[in-house]
Amino acid sequence: LEGAEEAASHVADTLASEVGLPLKHLGTEVHSGSMMLHPREGSTQFGEEKTYLGSVNLVYKSGIEENVDFIAGDPLDDGASGEVLDVWMHNLLAEEMGVNIGEELNVGVTLATNPIPIRVRGFWTASDPEDEYWFKHPGTTMKDNLIVRRQDYITHVEPLLAAKSGQVNWHVILD
């Protein structure tokens, strides 16, 4: 994440100088890549035999808190998670899965690797999905992404991944 943030300014400066227009917006988005979501051990909420709930990405996206509405639970804050990673889930995924605020699940690189526990702290939706902040419509591109705080990405997500991230995106808008 820190390397992606450092590279972002170089990417934006190079693009702005080559095109000859000033920078209007620079956003950094770092994804874990596809992670396996599954219920906590002993949970029967999703059925007795259900061990796999789907694939999700753990994502840090700069400036997201100013571009979303938190429709249930807690808003994204500057805090830090303890042993359980706090995540914010898109309301469409929460409705689809039947997840509740405060629910704890597990996420891991595979079903066989040691998972990390996550806690759903809130549900969000884009304030304005047509705003230029969003590269593409967030109802489709961000639905399966669990939002995490910057420090939580560094502390909890990077250690799971050999490359520390599965994907980095820079959203550059020139004026």
Side-chain angles (χ1 to χ4, degrees):
L1 175 59
E2 291 167 324
E5 289 172 332
E6 185 178 321
S9 62
H10 297 296
V11 169
D13 290 346
T14 300
L15 185 59
S17 68
E18 291 294 320
V19 174
L21 294 173
L23 181 65
K24 181 178 178 182
H25 169 80
L26 173 60
T28 301
E29 186 176 298
V30 182
H31 294 240
S32 64
S34 185
M35 303 285 280
M36 304 293 170
L37 184 66
H38 45 104
R40 296 291 298 263
E41 190 173 322
S43 172
T44 58
Q45 178 181 350
F46 303 99
E48 292 288 331
E49 301 297 318
K50 192 90 170 186
T51 59
Y52 174 69
L53 301 175
S55 294
V56 294
N57 282 294
L58 299 173
V59 175
Y60 166 75
K61 184 169 176 61
S62 62
I64 195 167
E65 58 279 352
E66 293 103 33
N67 293 282
V68 298
D69 294 325
F70 295 97
I71 57 175
D74 299 323
L76 192 64
D77 57 30
D78 291 332
S81 297
E83 290 186 23
V84 177
L85 175 63
D86 293 327
V87 300
W88 284 260
M89 184 179 280
H90 194 285
N91 71 310
L92 294 175
L93 181 59
E95 289 173 8
E96 184 179 296
M97 291 182 63
V99 172
N100 299 304
I101 299 297
E103 187 147 357
E104 292 188 11
L105 303 162
N106 283 334
V107 67
V109 177
T110 69
L111 290 176
T113 59
N114 286 334
I116 61 168
I118 62 171
R119 177 184 309 111
V120 179
R121 284 278 308 272
F123 301 144
W124 66 272
T125 188
S127 302
D128 179 2
E130 302 301 321
D131 187 271
E132 64 186 11
Y133 171 80
W134 303 104
F135 187 71
K136 291 185 178 179
H137 195 286
T140 55
T141 60
M142 296 288 290
K143 181 184 139 226
D144 296 329
N145 294 338
L146 303 177
I147 302 301
V148 300
R149 301 175 189 104
R150 181 183 182 281
Q151 188 58 48
D152 285 343
Y153 190 92
I154 293 168
T155 304
H156 292 274
V157 180
E158 285 184 358
L160 295 174
L161 311 169
K164 296 188 180 184
S165 70
Q167 176 181 336
V168 173
N169 299 311
W170 296 290
H171 187 190
V172 180
I173 301 174
L174 302 178
D175 192 4

